[in-house]
């Protein structure tokens, strides 16, 4: 029986930048990440593509050139990789705060949509979303939860209207370090307040795992305070509750591992720690728990994503330069696809 070939398997490029830089380890070059991704192989299966962070440190030469999309498409094709979801540099502004910050946020979404269109027109991008978040801290948000959620939603709506002109969808990444997105309930409040058909949720298995623990919102914790990690039935029940609420909104998905802790390097705030796929301290059964996102409450495949992606933010450079790291990550993605994918 032929193996599943959907969803497509992508690697992320932004882990070469996030948490790196002058106050941390050096940035890992974009080309190095492409080389490691393209070289990874598991029983004849290779990565299908990459999801790309639209940051000058990696792809400025393409972002800021009239023919940049075509040239990047040619580069990716040379590695036999497609482009998928794109991360807008919304941290240049914020969805909350001054008018200038919010205008900059919307402009960054516009730039991402324009570049995404270039990649589509070049035939290298066949799906994916534009990823955003509030670019505001939970602490700042908590000064006026209702008012700030309203303002974030207003900014998201403006960005959604821009994205709609390009046929793009925006996926808000649920992460404990972003205000109005720092708990599963706050995230749903923001999505409901935004109320745009082309705005949804981006679920990362590591970040959403911290939702269960209520790290930045104890009142929204799902797992009991005295939870023991060997109680897998209670853990699964918590997953059912969280994914039942967020799965209908989910339009982009990151496979990841987490050890139940938070981590931050460089300028990045503490958030769900991304662990290696083979980390013995990982609390997730990657294949099993991915199924809560990729299947509905009846166990049927949702087929909601053309591709799934591994996000390995803030791994040490020593780890990221090892080819085995990416082979192990690809192997985890293949296992997820074998269990929850389809033929297309």
């Amino acid at each position: 029986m032929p193996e599943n070939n959907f969803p497509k398997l992508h690697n992320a490029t932004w882990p070469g930048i996030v948490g790196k830089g002058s106050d941390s380890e050096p940035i890992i070059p974009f080309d190095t990440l492409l080389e490691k991704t393209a070289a990874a192989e598991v029983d004849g299966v290779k990565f299908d593509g990459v999801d790309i962070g639209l940051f000058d440190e990696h792809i400025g030469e393409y972002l800021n050139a009239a023919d940049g999309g075509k040239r990047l498409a040619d580069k990716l094709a040379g590695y036999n990789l497609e482009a998928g979801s794109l991360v807008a540099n919304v941290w240049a502004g914020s969805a909350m705060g001054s008018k200038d910050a919010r205008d900059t946020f919307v402009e960054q979404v516009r730039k991402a949509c324009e570049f995404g269109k270039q990649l589509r027109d070049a035939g290298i991008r066949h799906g994916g979303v534009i990823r955003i978040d509030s670019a505001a801290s939970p602490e700042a948000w908590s000064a006026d939860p209702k008012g700030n959620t309203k303002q974030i939603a207003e900014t998201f709506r403006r960005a959604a209207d821009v994205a709609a002109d390009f046929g793009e969808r925006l996926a808000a990444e649920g992460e404990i370090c972003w205000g109005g997105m720092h708990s599963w309930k706050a995230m749903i409040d923001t999505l409901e307040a935004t109320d745009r058909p082309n705005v949804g949720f981006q679920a990362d298995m590591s970040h959403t795992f911290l939702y269960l623990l209520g790290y930045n919102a104890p009142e929204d914790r799902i797992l009991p305070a005295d939870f023991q990690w060997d109680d897998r039935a209670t853990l699964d029940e918590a997953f059912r509750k969280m994914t039942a609420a967020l799965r209908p909104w989910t339009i982009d998905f990151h496979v990841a591992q987490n050890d139940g802790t938070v981590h931050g390097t460089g300028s990045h705030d503490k958030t769900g720690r991304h662990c290696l796929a083979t980390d013995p301290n990982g609390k997730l059964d990657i294949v099993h728990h991915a199924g809560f996102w990729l299947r509905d409450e009846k166990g049927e495949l949702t087929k909601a994503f053309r591709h799934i992606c591994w996000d390995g933010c803030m791994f040490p450079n020593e780890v990221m330069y090892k080819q085995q790291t990416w082979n192990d990550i690809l192997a985890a993605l293949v296992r997820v696809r074998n269990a929850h994918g389809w033929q297309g």
Side-chain angles (χ1 to χ4, degrees), residues 117-157:
K117 183 178 186 303
Q118 289 184 38
L119 295 175
R120 288 202 311 272
D121 291 347
I124 203 73
R125 182 170 177 251
H126 310 291
V129 301
I130 305 297
R131 204 194 86 196
I132 61 172
D133 57 52
S134 64
S137 72
E139 292 76 18
W141 172 88
S142 66
D144 180 10
K146 287 187 177 180
N148 286 328
T149 294
K150 180 180 178 181
Q151 188 174 71
I152 291 168
E154 288 172 350
T155 308
F156 280 10
R157 283 197 297 274

Side-chain angles (χ1 to χ4, degrees), residues 57-321:
E57 296 92 335
H58 260 180
I59 62 167
E61 64 177 291
Y62 306 106
L63 284 174
N64 303 311
D67 63 344
K70 177 63 168 65
R71 288 194 293 113
L72 180 57
D74 290 344
K75 176 183 281 289
L76 294 176
Y79 287 104
N80 200 30
L81 296 169
E82 64 181 20
S85 297
L86 307 176
V87 180
N89 186 19
V90 293
W91 305 277
S94 177
M96 193 185 92
S98 70
K99 181 180 184 299
D100 284 348
R102 288 178 281 128
D103 288 348
T104 298
F105 183 104
V106 175
E107 182 57 26
Q108 288 297 325
V109 170
R110 182 186 302 279
K111 288 182 177 179
C113 292
E114 289 173 345
F115 197 69
K117 183 178 186 303
Q118 289 184 38
L119 295 175
R120 288 202 311 272
D121 291 347
I124 203 73
R125 182 170 177 251
H126 310 291
V129 301
I130 305 297
R131 204 194 86 196
I132 61 172
D133 57 52
S134 64
S137 72
E139 292 76 18
W141 172 88
S142 66
D144 180 10
K146 287 187 177 180
N148 286 328
T149 294
K150 180 180 178 181
Q151 188 174 71
I152 291 168
E154 288 172 350
T155 308
F156 280 10
R157 283 197 297 274
R158 288 178 58 200
D161 292 344
V162 168
D165 289 340
F166 292 87
E168 293 280 2
R169 297 181 298 166
L170 304 181
E173 182 178 28
E175 195 168 350
I176 62 169
C177 61
W178 302 125
M181 308 171 63
H182 58 286
S183 80
W184 66 283
K185 286 187 176 180
M187 186 72 255
I188 291 172
D189 287 346
T190 297
L191 289 167
E192 289 180 342
T194 302
D195 192 24
R196 283 288 190 274
N198 65 326
V199 176
F201 181 64
Q202 195 273 311
D204 177 292
M205 289 179 65
S206 176
H207 296 322
T208 54
F209 194 42
L210 271 292
Y211 278 176
L212 301 179
L213 300 170
Y215 187 84
N216 272 341
E219 67 278 9
D220 292 342
R221 182 182 180 122
I222 298 176
L223 286 169
D226 61 351
F227 172 74
Q228 300 296 312
W229 289 112
D230 58 357
D231 184 354
R232 307 306 281 184
T234 298
L235 180 61
D236 282 2
E237 189 55 39
F239 260 95
R240 286 189 191 94
K241 181 174 181 178
M242 175 178 67
T243 55
L246 287 170
R247 190 193 312 109
W249 294 96
T250 305
I251 59 174
D252 199 48
F253 183 62
H254 289 172
V255 179
Q257 178 59 286
N258 181 270
D259 61 2
T261 68
V262 298
H263 181 59
T265 60
S267 62
H268 198 291
D269 291 335
K270 286 185 177 180
T271 188
R273 180 190 294 272
H274 283 108
C275 299
L276 292 172
T278 54
D279 191 328
N281 296 315
K283 304 301 186 190
L284 291 164
D285 178 333
I286 293 175
V287 173
H288 173 66
H289 289 118
F292 285 90
W293 295 102
L294 298 170
R295 295 178 180 271
D296 65 19
E297 64 280 358
K298 297 179 181 177
E300 299 295 325
L301 292 173
T302 67
K303 299 184 181 181
F305 327 109
R306 184 185 177 275
H307 78 275
I308 56 177
C309 181
W310 180 276
D311 185 348
C313 273
M314 293 184 277
F315 287 164
N317 282 9
E318 179 186 4
V319 170
M320 293 183 68
Y321 274 106

Side-chain angles (χ1 to χ4, degrees), residues 15 21 35 59 92 127 160 197 214 238 320 327 329 336-337:
E35 290 163 6
I59 62 167
M320 293 183 68
N327 293 348
I329 285 168
V336 169
R337 183 165 71 181

